[in-house]
């Protein structure tokens, strides 16, 4: 904490209090309001937490006006260009880049945990065949706590570490099996000879009747998408994981809550909605301009999915990276840049970046605007887009959970409210109502 303070005067009573200010390594300082209610009898009011820091964290830093994203201090552009998702997992979890021996050991451990208890397979049979894979993920991940009684002490660092490794390692298997179940295909087991991301593609698209070799171009493209989605500060799903974990619930239950929150179309579910919106535009026979007009019409609930962000009031740095990669991948796939969906996306982006409504509200394309297009180009089905986002974000969620469980300032999250309901009144017997 710095010696900086702010002075607050209650004009109703004339009472004046000094509130301490916390200074971070990047970003805005924070006013510590923990004594406010005790000293002045007020709560603060901040629906959606637009101006509220829920915790201190060293995992990820975002500067929305600069379009900056750092994982443990490393710029996302450098990690995207030089790292791998598994190395980024080590970085987010442990705080520093691994040595080659540390990375080799971490990779071995993650491979060791990729199998699932055979009884987990039975969980899938309980879902309707057309269940959304995200519904399956929420259920299966939450159920993992029924299998791992050997590491349930959330205050034991070794228990927290093995739970983190199990989650990072098993998410590709759970995700791929969700896809296989929905398509009535046999489940494929993990193959330790493959990379983390290649293994996921093999479990998704491989079949028992032939050997599946993942396309190196797709492996690199998907690995990059996983890196870009690995963490993002205190977003809705990460805050959900922190709040549910603050009651000392087990990590599988907390991550399952995070998956549920990510599923929302305003959050991680947006990548699926972006492609559905682009398909609507392509098949509607209407112009892009007509859809943009609808997005600006207050009486029309339609919004441009993939645009806008609570924090980024500049271009989402992840969207820039994915945009370039999408161009490259579609070109490598033989002129796919003429994909009507991609052409509509580029036109929509151009119009929105010039339109006064979007400019004055600083509504730029976000990570979801392009990720759906590239996943679609790779043959990943629409209902698996958010599943892949959840797979990638698991390391971010569990890194924040782990940080919270070690934070001496951490306590159970219990926000207050501005009560606007009925004032106290007496019960009326039913015959008198
Ligand atoms: C992710 O938090 C994270 O970090 C999330 C994420 C991560 O990695 O975890 O980055 C991933 O969730 C990205 C966001 C994906 N969601 C979408 O693309 C859905 C479409 N976007 C919007 O729903 C919206 O922009 C949000 C939810 C992303 C942000 O909402 P805010 O910050 O609450 O902004 P707002 O709703 O108050 O909008 C401000 C103004 C409003 O107009 P006015 O009332 O001021 O006139 O901008 C308008 C909104 O109507 N607006 C849009 C719009 N987004 C905001 N208008 C049209 N289309 C849009 N997409």
């Amino acid at each position: 904490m710095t010696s900086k303070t702010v002075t607050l005067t209650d004009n109703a009573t004339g009472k004046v209090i000094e509130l301490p200010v916390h200074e971070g390594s990047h970003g805005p300082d924070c006013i510590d309001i923990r004594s406010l209610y005790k000293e002045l009898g007020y709560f603060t009011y901040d629906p959606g937490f637009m101006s509220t820091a829920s915790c201190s964290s060293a995992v990820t830093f975002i500067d929305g006006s600069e379009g900056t994203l750092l994982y443990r201090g490393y710029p996302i552009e450098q990690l995207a260009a030089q790292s791998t998702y598994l190395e980024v997992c080590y970085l987010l979890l442990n705080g520093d880049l691994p040595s080659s021996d540390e990375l080799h050991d971490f990779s071995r451990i993650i491979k060791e945990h990729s199998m699932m208890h055979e009884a987990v397979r039975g969980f899938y049979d309980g879902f309707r065949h057309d269940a959304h894979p995200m519904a399956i993920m929420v259920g299966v991940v939450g159920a993992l706590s029924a299998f791992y009684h050997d590491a349930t002490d959330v205050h034991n660092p070794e228990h927290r570490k093995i739970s983190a490794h199990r989650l990072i390692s098993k998410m590709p298997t759970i995700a791929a099996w969700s896809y296989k179940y929905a398509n009535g295909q046999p489940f494929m087991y993990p193959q330790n000879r493959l990379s983390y991301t290649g293994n996921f593609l093999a479990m998704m698209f491989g079949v028992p009747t032939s050997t599946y070799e993942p396309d190196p171009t797709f492996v690199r493209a998907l690995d990059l998408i996983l890196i870009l989605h690995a963490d993002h500060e205190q977003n809705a799903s990460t805050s959900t994981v922190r709040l549910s974990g603050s009651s000392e619930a087990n990590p599988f239950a907390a991550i399952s809550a995070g998956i549920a929150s990510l599923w929302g179309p305003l959050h991680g579910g947006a990548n699926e909605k972006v492609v559905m919106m682009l398909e609507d535009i392509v098949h509607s026979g209407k112009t892009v301009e007509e859809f943009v007009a609808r997005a600006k019409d207050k009486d029309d609930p339609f919004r441009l999915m993939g645009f806008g962000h609570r924090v980024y009031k500049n271009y989402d740095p992840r969207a820039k990276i994915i945009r370039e990669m999408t161009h490259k991948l579609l070109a490598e796939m033989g002129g796919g840049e003429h994909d009507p969906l991609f052409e509509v996306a580029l036109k929509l982006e151009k119009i929105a970046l010039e339109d006064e409504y979007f400019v004055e509200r600083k509504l730029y394309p976000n990570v979801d605007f392009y990720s759906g297009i590239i996943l679609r180009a790779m043959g990943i089905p629409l209902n698996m887009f958010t599943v892949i986002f959840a797979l990638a974000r698991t390391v971010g969620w569990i890194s924040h959970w782990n940080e919270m469980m070690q934070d001496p300032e951490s306590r159970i999250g219990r926000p207050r409210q501005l009560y606007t309901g009925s004032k106290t009144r007496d019960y009326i017997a039913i015959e008198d109502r």
Side-chain angles (χ1 to χ4, degrees):
M1 191 186 311
T2 64
S3 55
K4 274 164 76 175
T5 61
V6 293
T7 302
L8 195 55
T9 302
D10 180 351
N11 294 324
T13 64
K15 188 169 181 188
V16 178
I17 64 169
E18 293 282 300
L19 292 173
V21 171
H22 297 282
E23 199 173 32
S25 35
H26 279 311
D29 295 347
C30 294
I31 299 171
D32 189 329
I33 56 163
R34 282 177 287 187
S35 65
L36 182 67
Y37 180 54
K38 193 172 65 186
E39 294 201 49
L40 282 189
Y42 290 103
F43 293 149
T44 56
Y45 184 68
D46 186 15
F49 310 116
M50 306 278 280
S51 303
T52 295
S54 61
C55 62
S56 60
S57 176
V59 180
T60 291
F61 174 72
I62 304 171
D63 182 322
S65 53
E66 295 299 317
T68 301
L69 170 56
L70 308 176
Y71 288 167
R72 298 288 189 179
Y74 293 97
I76 191 65
E77 294 82 0
Q78 295 181 24
L79 293 170
Q82 303 174 61
S83 189
T84 64
Y85 177 69
L86 211 51
E87 183 176 74
V88 165
C89 285
Y90 184 98
L91 170 65
L92 288 169
L93 214 47
N94 298 291
D96 281 307
L97 288 170
S99 66
S100 53
D101 288 348
E102 287 167 334
L103 182 59
H104 182 268
D105 197 38
F106 182 70
S107 176
R108 175 186 56 75
I109 292 168
I110 295 301
K111 284 180 190 271
E112 278 171 6
H113 288 288
S114 55
M115 289 270 283
M116 301 279 282
H117 190 293
E118 271 300 294
V120 174
R121 290 185 53 133
F123 273 93
Y124 287 80
D125 296 334
F127 290 98
R128 274 171 56 105
H129 69 89
D130 56 355
H132 194 292
M134 282 298 279
I136 297 176
M137 292 281 278
V138 171
V140 173
V141 171
L144 290 182
S145 48
F147 290 85
Y148 297 113
H149 305 293
D150 63 335
T152 54
D153 176 2
V154 296
H155 295 294
N156 180 330
E158 284 310 307
H159 286 197
R160 293 203 300 271
K161 190 160 132 185
I162 190 169
S163 295
H165 290 161
R166 279 169 168 156
L167 279 157
I168 292 168
S169 176
K170 297 180 192 304
M171 283 301 265
T173 311
I174 294 169
W177 285 8
S178 306
Y179 170 72
K180 284 304 198 187
Y181 181 75
N183 288 277
Q185 286 186 9
F187 288 9
M188 298 300 287
Y189 284 93
Q191 300 176 57
N192 287 349
R193 66 182 177 86
L194 296 172
S195 69
Y196 182 90
T197 305
N199 192 20
F200 171 66
L201 288 171
M203 290 191 284
M204 272 274 291
F205 296 119
V207 288
T209 50
S210 58
T211 304
Y212 176 90
E213 283 306 330
D215 178 324
T217 306
F218 285 179
V219 172
R220 177 61 195 143
L222 184 56
D223 202 70
L224 180 56
I225 285 182
L226 297 181
I227 290 173
L228 297 176
H229 288 79
D231 192 50
H232 213 239
E233 200 213 66
Q234 307 307 325
N235 56 84
S237 54
T238 301
S239 299
T240 301
V241 170
R242 280 182 173 262
L243 190 56
S244 47
S246 73
S247 69
E248 299 188 2
N250 72 73
F252 302 104
I255 298 299
S256 173
I259 297 171
S261 169
L262 183 77
W263 194 5
L266 295 189
H267 190 10
N271 54 15
E272 183 177 345
K273 297 295 181 196
V274 165
V275 172
M276 291 166 75
M277 173 187 74
L278 295 173
E279 283 173 343
D280 284 351
I281 295 174
V282 168
H283 300 123
S284 68
K286 292 191 171 66
T287 65
V288 172
E289 289 78 1
E290 286 174 281
F291 278 84
V292 170
R294 283 189 55 198
K296 293 157 58 175
D297 178 357
K298 287 298 164 215
D299 298 326
D300 189 329
F302 175 76
R303 283 195 160 183
L304 284 187
M305 303 314 280
F307 281 83
H309 197 278
R310 171 60 58 76
V311 177
Y312 287 125
K313 300 311 174 190
N314 192 327
Y315 219 100
D316 183 337
R318 302 167 298 176
K320 263 187 203 155
I321 295 167
I322 285 192
R323 185 181 194 274
E324 285 156 27
M325 186 179 73
T326 305
H327 270 290
K328 185 166 165 285
L329 185 72
L330 291 176
E332 282 175 18
M333 290 170 65
E337 65 270 40
H338 302 304
D339 173 350
L341 237 70
F342 191 54
E343 288 181 334
V344 164
L346 291 177
K347 188 169 182 190
L348 194 53
E349 179 195 39
K350 185 175 184 309
I351 292 172
L353 291 179
E354 292 163 359
D355 185 289
E356 190 48 39
Y357 173 94
F358 292 88
V359 171
E360 71 182 32
R361 290 170 179 79
K362 301 183 186 302
L363 300 176
Y364 292 90
N366 56 47
V367 66
D368 296 291
F369 185 64
Y370 284 102
S371 58
I373 296 168
I374 202 164
L375 289 170
R376 177 177 169 275
M378 292 165 62
I380 306 244
L382 199 54
N383 65 3
M384 287 295 289
F385 288 6
T386 310
V387 170
I388 286 171
F389 194 149
L391 191 170
R393 187 55 58 87
T394 295
V395 65
W397 289 330
I398 202 69
S399 299
H400 281 276
W401 174 78
N402 198 41
E403 180 180 65
M404 174 182 72
M405 296 316 292
Q406 298 174 81
D407 182 349
E409 287 200 324
S410 176
R411 49 198 319 186
I412 187 168
R414 206 286 185 207
R416 301 305 304 272
Q417 63 177 10
L418 173 68
Y419 176 67
T420 56
S422 298
K423 288 191 180 293
T424 308
R425 51 183 170 167
D426 294 325
Y427 183 82
I428 301 166
I430 192 162
E431 58 271 15
D432 299 331
R433 287 177 211 159

